[in-house]
Amino acid sequence: MRALALAALLGAGAACAASGVAPAPDDFAGHLAELINDYRLRHGLGPLAITDDLETLASEHSVSMAERRQLSHDGFLTRFHRASSKVCVENVGWNFRTPEGLFRGWRESPEHHRNLLEPKVERMGIAVDERYVTFFACR
């Protein structure tokens, strides 16, 4: 098994956006999934299916980050093994008011951008808890 690059959203001024009222987590996650799939399609890649198992893993991680009040990739290898996949990628973010803002930050970061366009992943889970967002995608 091989884990591909994972990246924390920490640099290039993209770690946080102006505070404000965020959309409901389900709306945020659903819209972010649409942005990711539209972007992949524009780059000749297939869309990612949203699956319950990866949503559970993403949710557990977002909840953990919110409880600790810390953006991290802690536990990535555990999520990777629990996904029973040969390839997984992960992007995390915090404190973005809109899915578009977070997506723009990921597009502007080489590591996050690579994860968005990883051709070997086929399914994803996205979760939001207290403005901590996890995108977890696997083969």
Side-chain angles (χ1 to χ4, degrees):
M1 287 195 194
R2 170 174 89 88
L4 290 183
L6 56 136
L9 186 56
L10 296 174
C16 64
S19 62
V21 177
D26 290 337
D27 295 335
F28 192 106
H31 188 58
L32 183 58
E34 290 173 5
L35 292 170
I36 291 168
N37 277 336
D38 289 347
Y39 192 63
R40 289 177 60 84
L41 289 170
R42 287 195 312 267
H43 284 84
L45 298 168
L48 302 176
I50 298 171
T51 62
D52 290 341
D53 62 329
L54 296 188
E55 279 199 334
T56 296
L57 293 172
S59 178
E60 289 171 359
H61 187 56
S62 288
V63 167
S64 175
M65 289 189 296
E67 287 173 349
R68 292 179 295 126
R69 300 280 186 243
Q70 180 181 7
L71 188 69
S72 76
H73 288 286
D74 293 350
F76 173 79
L77 289 178
T78 299
R79 286 185 293 286
F80 172 70
H81 291 297
R82 285 178 61 198
S84 299
S85 180
K86 293 182 179 184
V87 177
C88 290
V89 297
E90 177 176 89
N91 287 353
V92 299
W94 172 72
N95 205 28
F96 283 85
R97 290 186 313 123
T98 66
E100 291 85 0
L102 177 57
F103 183 69
R104 184 172 38 258
W106 286 346
R107 277 193 343 252
E108 293 172 357
S109 161
E111 295 85 8
H112 293 95
H113 186 254
R114 182 174 44 246
N115 289 347
L116 293 171
L117 297 179
E118 172 53 54
K120 295 178 183 172
V121 296
E122 299 168 342
R123 53 199 180 99
M124 70 174 152
I126 298 176
V128 182
D129 190 273
E130 295 185 33
R131 300 174 75 120
Y132 287 86
V133 181
T134 303
F135 161 72
F136 190 69
C138 299
R139 178 170 222 138

